Amino acid sequence: QSKKGGRNQLSFFDPSMQQSVIKRATLDAELHRALERQEFRLHYQIQVDAWRQPIGAEALIRWYHPELGTVSPAEFIPLAEETGLILPIGQWVLKTACQQLQAWQDKPHTRNLVLAVNISAKQIRQKNFSTMVLALLEKYQVTPHLLKLEITESVLLDDVEDTIKTMLSLNSIGIRFSMDDFGAGYSSLQYLKRLPLEQLKIDRSFVQDLENNSSDRTIVRTIITMAQSLNIDVIAEGVENEAQRELLQNKGCIHYQGYLFGKPVDIEQFNRFLE
Ligand code: C2E
Ligand code: MG
Ligand code: MG
Ligand code: MG
């Protein structure tokens, strides 16, 4: 008994744990100031078809802090979701994405690019979410079908009916939806058919071992077959080599995103890359 208690106490003073608590508190405080200090940037990662032609891009947020350096979204987005800061941050992302779409619309080689933006469950549950999105499209004169919203299966956990309504209303004016990280989380096929989804994005975890893992190949084939019968497009994320791309193509997935085609880069690099 006492031995057990002792061990628990020891783990309470685990220095790495203490450090992570301090780090979280620091991150949270700094995150509050990051927007006004203009420390966020969007990076863009290309999405291609079977002929390696660009079809669009995904916008991925980057945080450059003067002392902390580059903080990964995998670290600060979950924190921002907990504290609610994801709402103003998400709005900034959408605004910046619309400004970029406006700029692309003026050039012949970029005018058809679809830009995918990651949306947190908390964002889409905001009462005025669709009004806010519509206002941005109007302000920057962006055709709605050039904007794609990436949601994850976590939107299915709460307030599903309201979320479906919001999605239907945005979809009715032409905005597309993609289900990100598909297969990685909680997924109800019952809801899937009720959502106005244009695309399923196969999670990277199924792509990375495709060559060696036969159950991953089966899962991927099953996702593709299901999507095809529901008339939903499929894109694979995290495609890193030609062998993976070929396996995906053989199974009927012809849209890809991953380091094989390009890493996420800033807008100057991205535009240069397209030229
Ligand atoms: P995600 O939406 O699934 O984005 C894909 C992630 O995989 C990105 O990580 C991207 O850099 C990375 N990736 C792309 N291709 C490859 C590849 O071939 N190999 C490997 N190993 N990785 C690849 P990133 O940029 O660190 O973003 C992490 C996550 O943070 C995103 O996952 C998304 O959930 C979230 N996130 C990023 N930007 C935003 C945003 O603006 N809003 C919200 N709500 N979430 C965001
Ligand atoms: Mg995404
Ligand atoms: Mg993803
Ligand atoms: Mg992912």
Side-chain angles (χ1 to χ4, degrees):
Q1 268 280 330
S2 65
K3 253 187 188 167
K4 254 190 190 167
R7 251 191 244 138
N8 283 342
Q9 281 221 291
L10 264 180
S11 72
F12 181 75
F13 290 109
D14 179 349
S16 71
M17 188 174 153
Q18 201 177 0
Q19 244 178 3
S20 80
V21 171
I22 294 172
K23 192 166 180 203
R24 253 183 78 94
T26 313
L27 274 190
D28 186 35
E30 292 302 308
L31 206 48
H32 270 91
R33 301 179 194 105
L35 263 182
E36 57 185 65
R37 290 182 180 170
Q38 306 192 335
E39 292 171 351
F40 293 121
R41 294 283 180 277
L42 285 189
H43 274 191
Y44 298 83
Q45 186 178 29
I46 193 89
Q47 299 180 333
V48 302
D49 65 16
W51 297 273
R52 289 193 177 231
Q53 289 306 302
I55 50 172
E58 177 175 7
L60 293 155
I61 195 169
R62 296 292 177 258
W63 180 17
Y64 299 102
H65 187 279
E67 284 106 43
L68 299 173
T70 310
V71 188
S72 158
E75 205 167 342
F76 73 83
I77 291 289
L79 183 61
E81 286 172 344
E82 270 177 55
T83 62
L85 269 179
I86 193 62
L87 301 183
I89 294 174
Q91 165 126 29
W92 176 86
V93 171
L94 272 167
K95 185 194 77 181
T96 310
C98 287
Q99 284 174 325
Q100 193 49 53
L101 278 169
Q102 182 182 42
W104 282 343
Q105 274 182 333
D106 295 336
K107 302 202 179 73
H109 69 292
T110 53
R111 67 163 19 120
N112 294 321
L113 287 180
V114 173
L115 185 55
V117 174
N118 293 287
I119 301 294
S120 294
K122 229 183 197 152
Q123 275 181 278
I124 202 163
R125 279 188 212 122
Q126 284 174 102
K127 281 270 170 313
N128 60 349
F129 183 72
S130 38
T131 317
M132 189 263 279
V133 175
L134 292 191
L136 285 173
L137 290 175
E138 197 165 354
K139 178 167 182 197
Y140 296 104
Q141 295 290 297
V142 173
T143 318
H145 69 254
L146 295 178
L147 181 65
K148 183 181 286 183
L149 303 183
E150 289 195 4
I151 52 167
T152 63
E153 292 159 300
S154 64
V155 302
L156 301 174
L157 292 176
D158 282 304
D159 302 329
V160 196
E161 298 305 324
D162 285 341
T163 301
I164 293 176
K165 268 188 216 150
T166 303
M167 288 176 70
L168 286 171
S169 110
L170 286 168
N171 185 242
S172 73
I173 66 140
I175 291 172
R176 310 175 196 220
F177 285 93
S178 179
M179 183 65 92
D180 203 355
D181 305 335
F182 186 72
Y186 159 95
S187 170
S188 164
L189 302 179
Q190 188 59 33
Y191 283 130
L192 201 59
K193 66 171 187 190
R194 292 184 54 208
L195 302 178
L197 291 175
E198 194 239 352
Q199 185 177 69
L200 293 183
K201 199 179 220 187
I202 301 178
D203 190 61
R204 186 164 69 84
S205 62
F206 300 115
V207 175
Q208 78 197 349
D209 292 328
L210 217 47
E211 299 139 275
N212 308 311
N213 191 318
S214 68
S215 14
D216 284 349
R217 286 199 292 277
T218 305
I219 293 169
V220 165
R221 195 186 334 109
T222 307
I223 294 175
I224 295 168
T225 309
M226 180 187 68
Q228 283 171 342
S229 61
L230 290 170
N231 211 359
I232 297 175
D233 174 52
V234 179
I235 187 167
E237 71 176 4
V239 183
E240 294 185 352
N241 58 56
E242 181 54 30
Q244 293 166 344
R245 194 206 63 83
E246 215 173 287
L247 276 166
L248 287 160
Q249 184 172 19
N250 290 341
K251 298 192 186 330
C253 173
I254 52 163
H255 294 147
Y256 322 100
Q257 180 181 344
Y259 295 168
L260 177 62
F261 310 99
K263 291 195 168 179
V265 289
D266 65 34
I267 192 59
E268 287 78 23
Q269 278 180 279
F270 189 79
N271 283 334
R272 240 180 289 133
F273 174 79
L274 286 173
E275 275 164 15

